Amino acid sequence: MKIRIVEVGPRDGLQNEARNVATNDKIELIRRLIDCGHRTVEATSFVSPQWVPQLADAADVMSALTAPAGVALPVLVPNFKGYERARAAGAKEVAVFTAASEAFNRKNTNAGIDESLARFAPILEAARADDVRVRGYVSTVLGCPYQGQVPNSEVVRVARALYAMGAYEISLGDTIGVGTPEKARQMLMAVASEIPMGALAVHFHDTYGMAVANILRCLDAGVRVIDAAVGGLGGCPYAKGASGNVATEDVVYLLDGLGIEHGIDFDRLVATGQWISERLGRANASKVGKARSGGVLDSSLAVRHVHKPD
Ligand code: HMG
Ligand code: MG
């Protein structure tokens, strides 16, 4: 069994940082993540710079990077204008995003769910002609900060719409990190009853510390693509109080413990998480990263890490 990790640290991780992150640090982070063995690194966002000022340098970040063979550097786009900017900057893969909660989607994109789906139609059409791959996100799949409960039927409806439009993969996002394992499994299975499991990814935030447990249950249910952010970076500017993504280091440690292949160099990943945490002047939010970087754990007691980049 092999898992593909979609590293979202440079985008989901940095979009919420209050202090300005230097463009060169963003570029360096992406380069280091590629050197760790990542094959998919979500690099930045071509959203409105008024809405997310931290990623206003998206074009500069993209133009400084050349993806090595086999490495994808997708970028987030909210509308056709974002798609055009992304293409002009050389993006070959984009991600569109909407939500299973109407209230959240309005706060996040100033549009209802169906309106945002309608915005994506011309993007998908152009992407087909341009040979650009499109990933789709559904946010708030396990709860919404404005609406509360989100029915699985709505997650299924939105995921199905994105898949039918031509998104090759649908990432199911617990944007505010409120999910628990059994709820996560049921949500995943509901979506997988309509969309092949091979086209699904899970995207957990770790607000309540459940992300790794949720992932384990979803792995058992058959998912093979996991979104994660190095150093547990992140948060959504339109989901106040939500913490970072599940840390990539924690996911890799879990997978190594299970003997599941992932292609990431653990030591390099830990060093990258520590490096970016120091650059941002914040504590390393990865439990595994903290244990390994702070020297608090005798590494002979921990899982042996055998997976090196392909
Ligand atoms: P709006 O203000 O309604 O946009 O924002 P508008 O279409 O009315 O345009 C207003 C102005 O913005 C115009 O400029 C446009 O040209 C410009 P003006 O004529 O006034 O000079 N504009 C843009 N400029 C640059 N790039 C663009 C763009 N679009 C319009 N792409 C909009 C609507 C969707 C643009 C805005 O709400 C937005 O950018 N939202 C994105 C917010 C965001 O990035 N949130 C975080 C990402 S989602 C997430 O984190 C969840 C996820 O991780 C999964 C999970 O955890 O669940 C994916
Ligand atoms: Mg997210």
Side-chain angles (χ1 to χ4, degrees):
M1 188 203 299
K2 183 156 186 185
I3 297 299
R4 183 164 66 89
I5 295 179
V6 174
E7 171 61 56
V8 297
R11 191 281 302 172
D12 205 351
L14 296 184
Q15 70 186 10
N16 203 37
E17 279 298 316
R19 80 172 75 156
N20 184 52
V21 182
T23 305
N24 281 342
D25 283 345
K26 294 172 182 169
I27 296 164
E28 175 70 15
L29 173 62
I30 295 163
R31 290 199 174 126
R32 286 181 188 229
L33 289 166
I34 294 170
D35 285 347
C36 291
H38 277 297
R39 290 294 169 261
T40 313
V41 181
E42 199 172 70
T44 184
S45 265
F46 288 87
V47 296
S48 160
Q50 272 78 47
W51 285 59
V52 182
Q54 181 64 257
L55 301 184
D57 58 358
D60 297 331
V61 170
M62 286 307 282
S63 58
L65 293 164
T66 310
V71 173
L73 300 176
V75 297
L76 216 59
V77 299
N79 53 18
F80 200 73
K81 172 151 189 160
Y83 178 78
E84 288 178 321
R85 289 178 56 219
R87 287 294 288 152
K92 295 190 177 60
E93 178 170 333
V94 300
V96 294
F97 57 103
T98 183
S101 148
E102 186 74 13
F104 179 79
N105 204 53
R106 286 195 181 280
K107 296 271 188 196
N108 199 34
T109 67
N110 206 16
I113 297 168
D114 291 340
E115 202 180 338
S116 67
L117 291 171
R119 281 178 185 172
F120 302 155
I123 297 177
L124 269 296
E125 200 186 315
R128 253 189 302 276
D130 297 341
D131 204 17
V132 165
R133 303 218 313 155
V134 182
R135 192 174 200 240
Y137 278 104
V138 186
S139 289
T140 58
V141 297
L142 293 171
C144 167
Y146 309 106
Q147 170 186 312
Q149 298 294 327
V150 174
N152 283 345
S153 56
E154 197 52 12
V155 181
V156 173
R157 180 183 83 83
V158 178
R160 201 174 41 210
L162 287 169
Y163 191 62
M165 288 173 117
Y168 76 92
E169 186 169 275
I170 311 298
S171 174
L172 302 166
D174 180 14
T175 316
I176 54 171
V178 290
T180 49
E182 186 50 22
K183 272 192 76 179
R185 188 193 69 82
Q186 285 176 15
M187 179 278 302
L188 175 67
M189 294 313 288
V191 180
S193 68
E194 305 252 352
I195 297 173
M197 187 66 94
L200 298 179
V202 288
H203 178 113
F204 290 109
H205 286 253
D206 206 20
T207 317
Y208 284 84
M210 291 290 113
V212 167
N214 293 340
I215 287 170
L216 182 57
R217 191 62 76 95
C218 291
L219 280 172
D220 285 344
V223 86
R224 296 292 176 261
V225 185
I226 300 169
D227 296 359
V230 69
L233 299 176
C236 178
Y238 298 97
K240 293 254 172 301
S243 79
N245 293 80
V246 65
T248 316
E249 297 92 315
D250 299 8
V251 174
V252 164
Y253 191 79
L254 170 76
L255 295 175
D256 278 335
L258 295 168
I260 298 175
E261 261 186 81
H262 48 71
I264 310 292
D265 185 313
F266 177 76
D267 292 331
R268 280 190 204 173
L269 181 68
V270 167
T272 302
Q274 189 58 24
W275 172 80
I276 188 64
S277 300
E278 283 167 15
R279 293 301 296 165
L280 298 176
R282 49 136 86 202
N284 191 337
S286 163
K287 284 219 159 51
V288 169
K290 232 180 329 204
R292 295 303 276 250
S293 304
V296 295
L297 185 71
D298 176 350
S299 59
S300 68
L301 297 176
V303 166
R304 263 189 75 233
H305 299 277
V306 291
H307 302 299
K308 297 290 176 200
D310 298 332

